[in-house]
Amino acid sequence: MSDDTTYTPPKVWTWDAESGGRFANINRPIAGATHDKDLPVGKHPLQLYSLATPNGVKVTVMLEELLALGHEGAEYDAWLVNIGEGEQFGSGFVGANPNSKIPAMMDHSGDTPVRVFESGSILVHLAEKFDAFLPKDGAARTEVMNWLFWQMGSAPYLGGGFGHFYAYAPEKWQYPIDRFAMETKRQLDVLDRQLAETTFIAGPDYTIADMAIWAWYGQLVLGRLYDAAEFLDVTSYENVLRWAKDIDARPAVSRGRMVNRAFGELHTQLRERHDAGDFETKTQDKLEPAEE
């Protein structure tokens, strides 16, 4: 498709070809399982099925922060779901999340297992379960929820919009890149103005709103998403950068970023996590020989 080609949509769209781009092999216009595969279940009540994309990182950061606070019940097994290979379409995963998106969690702590899907829902579930990182009531709780849902509604423009057309689409097209770059920068300005007035997103305290927004926008301004930091002039958002660096320095955040990571330097990859000691003994650099 060239820049001077105008697409005329048909009266009825049909799926007759791959859409192109990095994820074309797994994109399809129907839901449901493509194959039978049960989910593995480990020794802990909380079973996470995920990948270290921004949405996955939100939850592993939350779990590691809970453990850092001493909540032993937050111990968890984290199983890698390779979305590039279509593992999210296995029957077990679809049972945990009918939308076939990571992350998904099964909470086995009660008499009946509870499925929890959508990263925001998982964050709220864990916050309420352990009474942490979310005020119980009142204006403070509402403000956290405001920003949590801001992230849920805004990040698709960053990821599925800007990220797709800037980094993953089969060709570079100016119109969608300009459109979504403009929206991404507007969102960064929203955050920058808020963080000029507050230490954390929703006020003086670190909450699930910070975890959710940092996974996307914090990592963006730290240069970890789409190789787009210079293009978006992220250094101009000084308050966002200050906040992003402060959160990045938290030990639990460093650990959370490693869980279910199957890319990057080998010492940063803990593809499965079943025990706190795995960070020292089961990163990928220790499980496979370094390339010479």
Side-chain angles (χ1 to χ4, degrees):
M1 180 177 180
S2 61
D3 291 340
D4 60 356
T5 298
T6 299
Y7 171 63
T8 301
K11 290 185 177 181
V12 178
W13 183 86
T14 57
W15 185 38
D16 57 7
E18 288 188 347
S19 61
R22 180 171 170 182
F23 300 107
N25 65 315
I26 59 170
N27 290 335
R28 59 196 183 110
I30 55 175
T34 61
H35 58 282
D36 290 329
K37 184 178 181 180
D38 293 335
L39 289 177
V41 179
K43 61 184 178 181
H44 301 298
L46 299 178
Q47 299 292 304
L48 179 67
Y49 307 93
S50 191
L51 181 69
T53 65
N55 286 332
V57 165
K58 299 175 198 176
V59 176
T60 49
V61 164
M62 174 62 164
L63 288 164
E64 291 299 326
E65 292 281 14
L66 288 168
L67 291 170
L69 283 182
H71 293 285
E72 296 181 1
E75 269 293 356
Y76 67 104
D77 292 280
W79 304 91
L80 180 68
V81 177
N82 190 332
I83 61 175
E85 298 298 322
E87 293 180 359
Q88 69 274 35
F89 300 117
S91 57
F93 191 90
V94 173
N97 183 358
N99 196 39
S100 293
K101 301 290 185 181
I102 63 93
M105 175 179 284
M106 295 297 298
D107 185 344
H108 295 267
S109 60
D111 294 336
T112 302
V114 175
R115 71 179 185 183
V116 197
F117 61 89
E118 290 297 324
S119 57
S121 179
I122 298 173
L123 290 176
V124 173
H125 177 81
L126 293 172
E128 293 180 338
K129 184 181 185 72
F130 295 102
D131 189 20
F133 302 113
L134 177 63
K136 288 184 177 181
D137 50 34
R141 178 186 176 89
T142 299
E143 185 69 357
V144 172
M145 299 299 277
N146 288 342
W147 285 104
L148 176 63
F149 282 93
W150 178 90
Q151 184 277 308
M152 302 298 289
S154 297
Y157 291 98
L158 167 57
F162 174 77
H164 175 78
F165 286 105
Y166 185 79
Y168 302 140
E171 296 182 37
K172 303 291 187 187
W173 297 302
Q174 183 177 353
Y175 174 78
I177 291 174
D178 283 352
R179 170 66 181 86
F180 290 113
M182 177 176 64
E183 174 60 14
T184 297
K185 288 180 70 64
R186 187 195 69 81
Q187 293 174 2
L188 286 169
D189 193 44
V190 170
L191 294 175
D192 204 60
R193 292 169 186 266
Q194 174 69 8
L195 288 164
E197 304 295 331
T198 60
T199 302
F200 294 104
I201 289 293
D205 299 320
Y206 176 59
T207 70
I208 57 173
D210 296 284
M211 299 175 202
I213 295 171
W214 182 88
W216 281 99
Y217 298 88
Q219 295 204 92
L220 177 68
V221 300
L222 292 172
R224 296 174 184 159
L225 293 185
Y226 313 125
D227 196 22
E230 182 178 9
F231 180 75
L232 294 171
D233 188 24
V234 299
T235 56
S236 64
Y237 304 100
E238 295 179 0
N239 301 306
V240 180
L241 268 173
R242 180 268 306 164
W243 163 85
K245 290 176 181 178
D246 287 349
I247 292 178
D248 194 51
R250 296 177 68 91
V253 173
S254 296
R255 292 192 297 274
R257 286 187 59 232
M258 295 171 64
V259 178
N260 294 145
R261 186 176 174 89
F263 48 86
E265 296 181 359
L266 294 180
H267 73 277
T268 69
Q269 299 182 32
L270 183 61
R271 297 186 181 181
E272 290 188 2
R273 184 241 189 250
H274 304 290
D275 184 85
D278 291 349
F279 290 101
E280 299 298 327
T281 62
K282 294 186 178 179
T283 52
Q284 206 60 22
D285 60 315
K286 297 179 178 67
L287 298 182
E288 63 181 77
E291 294 183 5
E292 297 182 3

